[in-house]
């Protein structure tokens, strides 16, 4: 019989002052869904490869006299496979159920959450919201990863409901592999920069698309003398993030509502380090180039620019793996996912002012304080959910 490692229990998440309250049944639903996700990725997903190798690829070859030429041909052939339909439907259902459980939890206490956040922010100066902010259309028109209302929707003035949903629910999709504060990526990148560049002493750090700051805070903690600016388009995320940072005792981060494609609030060369984490795939085909142009402008000569993402679709990645990784683009409301992963990071970095000779790319694994042994021991690939990322970037040339 197949065995697989259980995810940690959801109650191991560190609850802070502005975290939503959960009943027994609401906790149980999240635990069930985290386990279902793990089961789907460990016990069911490998069946796709068996079907591909044994039936789908040989049948395609028999008809066309060749193998697949790209992931789109794989997608067309695999879409009729019962195992793929079963895996996809279960994956989609777990995501929908996660969003609906989180949504029910936060909506019934939305007013109290907003009041807790307001009280936490009284007298604090770490939140700057823009008047008449225009949410980029590519965000406005999509419920990203099936989160109703995405990052920006406010149900009333001062609302933080969607951010509280995101904070409590990401554990379920990641199977608890991001740590007790869902900050395993930020911890990993901060530690990597510190170890790799011990003499680097950034005075000003910009985190673009910070969300509620899960991965911003570890950077701010490891560089306590730096002034950290965390920008996002979603007011609920920023409000909640600013209150959460206060609640966790982190005082060197300011959360600002700013469009990354138009960062006129910052002077040329203002930042020594510009960071993004799981952000680029949630931008758009035109916006991404404006964003890199803006990064080039606000980054100081000799400054560091890093991006954490899921792996790009490189020529050495099989079309089967590219197809599996593309699932989010079609079934998880991530419309830019596939296009972003087709881009050449070295080209993007040139737009940010990094010489191709100085381009760097490394693999980084989440630091998981909940259960590092389980993180290390997880062998199955979850195609876009694993806490192992591609980091690319470089130092801006003089
Ligand atoms: C997947 S979330 C990543 C959050 C965060 N970096 C983390 O690691 O937890 C992507 C974030 O990018 C933000 N975003 C997308 N486009 C943006 C833009 N043009 N300007 C500012 N924020 C943007 C969204 O609002 C969302 O909060």
């Amino acid at each position: 019989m197949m065995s697989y490692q259980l995810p940690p229990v959801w109650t191991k998440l560190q609850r802070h002052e502005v975290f939503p309250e959960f009943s027994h049944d609401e906790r149980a639903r999240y635990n069930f869904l985290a386990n279902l996700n793990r089961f789907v990725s460990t016990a069911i997903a490998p069946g796709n490869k068996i079907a591909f190798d044994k039936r789908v690829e040989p049948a395609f070859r028999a008809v066309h006299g060749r193998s697949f030429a790209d992931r789109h041909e794989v997608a067309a052939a695999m879409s009729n496979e019962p195992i793929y339909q079963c895996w996809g439907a279960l994956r989609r259902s777990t995501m929908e159920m996660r969003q609906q459980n989180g949504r029910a939890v936060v909506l019934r206490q939305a007013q109290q959450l907003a009041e807790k956040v307001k009280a936490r922010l009284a007298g604090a100066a770490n939140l700057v919201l823009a008047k008449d902010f225009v949410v980029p259309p590519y965000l406005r028109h999509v419920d990203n990863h099936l989160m109703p209302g995405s990052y920006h929707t406010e149900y009333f003035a001062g609302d933080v409901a969607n951010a509280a949903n995101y904070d409590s629910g990401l554990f379920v999709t990641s199977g608890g592999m991001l740590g007790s504060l869902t900050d395993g990526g930020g911890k990993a990148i901060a530690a990597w920069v510190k170890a790799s560049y011990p003499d680097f002493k950034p005075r000003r750090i910009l985190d673009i698309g910070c969300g509620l700051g899960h991965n911003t805070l570890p950077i701010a903690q490891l560089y306590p003398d730096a002034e950290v600016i965390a920008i996002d388009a979603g007011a609920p995320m920023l409000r909640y993030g600013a209150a959460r940072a206060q609640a966790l005792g982190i005082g060197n981060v300011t959360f600002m509502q700013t469009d990354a494609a138009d960062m006129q609030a910052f002077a040329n060369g203002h930042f020594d380090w510009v960071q993004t984490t799981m952000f680029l795939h949630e931008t758009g085909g035109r916006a991404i180039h404006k964003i890199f142009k803006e990064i080039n402008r606000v980054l100081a000569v000799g400054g560091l620019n890093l991006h954490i993402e899921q792996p790009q679709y490189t020529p050495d990645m099989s079309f089967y793996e590219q197809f599996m990784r593309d699932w989010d683009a079609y079934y998880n409301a991530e419309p830019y996912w596939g296009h972003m992963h087709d881009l050449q990071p070295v080209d993007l970095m040139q737009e940010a002012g990094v010489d191709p000779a100085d381009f760097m790319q490394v693999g980084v694994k989440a630091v998981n304080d909940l259960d590092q042994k389980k993180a290390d021991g997880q062998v199955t690939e979850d195609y876009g959910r694993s806490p192992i990322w591609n980091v690319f970037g470089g130092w801006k040339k003089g």
Side-chain angles (χ1 to χ4, degrees):
M1 205 175 97
M2 178 164 201
S3 71
Y4 67 99
Q5 292 165 326
L6 297 178
V9 287
W10 178 85
T11 37
K12 288 207 173 171
L13 270 187
Q14 189 178 321
R15 258 79 51 89
H16 48 78
E17 210 179 305
V18 294
F19 198 87
E21 300 290 335
F22 276 68
S23 70
H24 167 275
D25 287 4
E26 289 161 346
R27 286 195 296 273
R29 271 182 217 120
Y30 266 172
N31 278 324
F32 163 73
L33 290 168
N35 278 273
L36 182 58
N37 262 322
R38 182 66 59 83
F39 179 74
V40 169
S41 67
T42 311
I44 299 187
N48 287 307
K49 185 71 167 71
I50 296 169
F52 177 80
D53 288 340
K54 288 200 180 311
R55 279 197 300 272
V56 178
E57 207 275 343
F60 184 93
R61 191 181 283 279
V63 173
H64 299 275
R66 61 168 175 86
S67 190
F68 296 106
D70 59 34
R71 68 177 185 273
H72 306 294
E73 286 188 350
V74 179
M78 283 291 285
S79 63
N80 295 320
E81 271 300 311
I83 182 73
Y84 179 67
Q85 293 171 349
C86 171
W87 171 73
L90 282 167
R91 209 179 198 215
R92 166 92 184 195
S93 300
T94 54
M95 198 65 187
E96 286 179 358
M97 288 191 277
R98 166 211 149 174
Q99 295 296 354
Q100 292 310 325
N101 187 46
R103 183 168 160 81
V105 169
V106 299
L107 288 186
R108 70 170 167 74
Q109 57 189 296
Q111 208 68 50
Q112 292 97 305
L113 283 168
E115 276 157 24
K116 278 200 272 188
V117 164
K118 191 173 169 193
R120 204 39 172 113
L121 290 176
N126 68 334
L127 175 67
V128 182
L129 295 181
K131 266 203 191 107
D132 305 322
F133 183 79
V134 179
V135 175
Y138 62 78
L139 279 180
R140 222 167 43 227
H141 296 148
V142 177
D143 283 345
N144 285 87
H145 41 71
L146 309 180
M147 183 164 76
S150 197
Y151 303 101
H152 61 278
T153 298
E154 299 175 86
Y155 300 106
F156 53 89
D159 180 38
V160 294
N162 281 8
N165 183 359
Y166 189 89
D167 194 18
S168 60
L170 196 50
F171 174 97
V172 175
T173 319
S174 64
M177 307 286 274
L178 300 178
S180 63
L181 283 167
T182 319
D183 61 355
K187 274 192 177 142
I189 197 71
W192 181 79
V193 171
K194 197 92 181 175
S196 307
Y197 306 103
D199 298 333
F200 180 47
K201 305 263 183 291
R203 288 159 306 158
R204 288 185 291 265
I205 301 172
L206 174 66
D207 184 21
I208 298 180
C210 63
L212 61 88
H214 279 143
N215 294 306
T216 319
L217 299 194
I219 295 174
Q221 276 176 303
L222 214 55
Y223 290 90
D225 298 329
E227 178 194 2
V228 180
I229 307 284
I231 69 165
D232 203 277
M237 302 296 273
L238 294 160
R239 253 183 227 119
Y240 184 92
R244 177 178 176 273
Q246 295 276 338
L248 295 172
I250 297 164
N252 58 331
V253 186
T254 302
F255 290 81
M256 281 181 72
Q257 192 174 30
T258 303
D259 183 348
D262 181 10
M263 298 192 278
Q264 51 188 283
F266 311 122
N268 295 357
H270 190 68
F271 294 100
D272 304 312
W273 176 1
V274 176
Q275 174 70 30
T276 79
T277 301
M278 291 306 287
F279 160 73
L280 296 173
H281 69 268
E282 283 189 2
T283 63
R286 278 192 291 273
I288 197 165
H289 299 292
K290 291 187 188 160
I291 291 167
F292 272 91
K293 197 170 166 205
E294 276 292 80
I295 291 174
N296 193 357
R297 187 183 65 73
V298 301
L299 186 61
V301 168
L304 178 63
N305 183 205
L306 292 177
H307 305 274
I308 302 184
E309 263 296 341
Q310 286 289 321
Q312 296 300 109
Y313 302 158
T314 48
D316 60 345
M317 183 186 279
S318 72
F319 294 136
Y320 171 79
E321 184 172 345
Q322 293 182 23
F323 149 74
M324 288 294 281
R325 290 186 172 280
D326 231 26
W327 183 88
D328 286 273
Y330 292 96
Y331 305 111
N332 197 28
E334 295 279 16
Y336 192 49
W337 181 275
H339 300 291
M340 190 272 139
H341 287 101
D342 270 338
L343 297 175
Q344 298 294 330
V346 67
D347 295 342
L348 292 172
M349 294 315 300
Q350 263 188 283
E351 293 175 33
V354 172
D355 193 298
D358 298 328
F359 173 74
M360 54 190 177
Q361 189 150 231
V362 290
V364 161
K365 180 152 54 160
V367 175
N368 182 359
D369 60 345
L370 287 181
D371 199 339
Q372 192 61 42
K373 237 170 72 207
K374 277 188 178 152
D376 288 342
Q378 203 204 20
V379 288
T380 51
E381 175 52 85
D382 196 13
Y383 304 103
R385 305 280 181 283
S386 310
I388 299 170
W389 298 283
N390 181 37
V391 177
F392 62 85
W395 299 86
K396 185 175 163 182
K397 64 175 179 252

